[in-house]
Amino acid sequence: MENGWAPGPGQHHTAPTDQPRRFDRPALSRLHQGPEINILASRPPPWASVPLAMLLGAISFGIDACSSPSLESRAARRIGFTPLYVSVRECQTPEALTDLIIASSCVPPLTPQARRGGVPLLDGGLISNVPTELSGNGQTLVLLTRPFAQLPAVDGHTYVQPSRPIPVGAWDYTNDAALQATFDLGQQDGAAFCSARQA
């Protein structure tokens, strides 16, 4: 266990050991020295057992999916799920950051059950598809990972969405080609956005 993070019983880090590690301590150090990065996970209601929390999470996701597409996920909050924001700077090793990222998309049994301080965590998307709670009152650039038919009008927020569906899927953690294609699309769309702002 590192920095309070622990996989569930019988679970281990999912990174393959027979391939070179691309994310190492120098890379983590550069993240620590850069802008603040917070990662969102969902805490289930304190009265819910892990199996019940998983069921409630699935129901919440279904309710939001059947509603009109929205940047906010409302059903889970109404049930009692609460957000947990964790700074990347709290992760002292690349493995700890890996566990944090997995926790932020934790959907057992598809991924290991993550815990922090003994509390089970689930996908942060149950709480918010686009978490902007920590943005404060300044100008905020909000980068979206999928196109939305309608974007909210929020003072100080500028929303930028991809020009087409991104190549990487929700579970493509190890698909290098899809990740690279997604990165390249982001660079292209970012350049187009900057050119349009300067025009």
Side-chain angles (χ1 to χ4, degrees):
M1 180 173 66
E2 301 170 70
N3 298 338
W5 293 99
Q11 302 287 355
H12 305 281
H13 297 297
T14 58
T17 57
D18 58 344
Q19 295 185 12
R21 184 177 297 279
R22 294 185 176 87
F23 187 79
D24 53 16
R25 286 184 177 273
L28 181 63
S29 177
R30 290 194 293 273
L31 285 179
H32 286 174
Q33 296 168 13
E36 182 77 9
I37 300 175
N38 289 282
I39 296 178
L40 171 65
S42 299
R43 288 180 293 203
W47 45 263
S49 64
V50 172
L52 179 57
M54 291 167 53
L55 176 61
L56 293 173
I59 293 173
S60 302
F61 179 81
I63 292 174
D64 287 327
C66 292
S67 305
S68 59
S70 171
L71 298 184
E72 292 300 321
S73 304
R74 299 182 177 89
R77 289 180 185 263
R78 292 171 180 166
I79 292 174
F81 285 82
T82 56
L84 173 67
Y85 288 95
V86 181
S87 172
V88 167
R89 291 173 182 162
E90 294 186 27
C91 300
Q92 299 303 311
T93 66
E95 292 79 12
L97 180 55
T98 298
D99 285 342
L100 174 58
I101 293 171
I102 291 176
S104 74
S105 58
C106 181
V107 184
L110 299 178
T111 62
Q113 175 63 65
R115 294 176 180 271
R116 182 175 174 82
V119 177
L121 300 176
L122 294 173
D123 191 332
L126 288 172
I127 292 291
S128 177
N129 289 317
V130 186
T132 58
E133 295 174 319
L134 303 183
S135 60
N137 298 322
Q139 295 295 316
T140 302
L141 179 64
V142 183
L143 304 179
L144 305 176
T145 58
R146 62 185 175 95
F148 287 84
Q150 185 175 359
L151 298 176
V154 180
D155 287 342
H157 286 188
T158 300
Y159 293 89
V160 181
Q161 55 189 353
S163 57
R164 56 183 172 84
I166 62 175
V168 71
W171 307 106
D172 290 342
Y173 293 110
T174 58
N175 188 333
D176 290 347
L179 288 170
Q180 185 63 52
T182 300
F183 179 82
D184 294 341
L185 176 62
Q187 282 196 316
Q188 295 166 14
D189 286 347
F193 170 77
C194 291
S195 296
R197 298 279 289 187
Q198 295 171 357

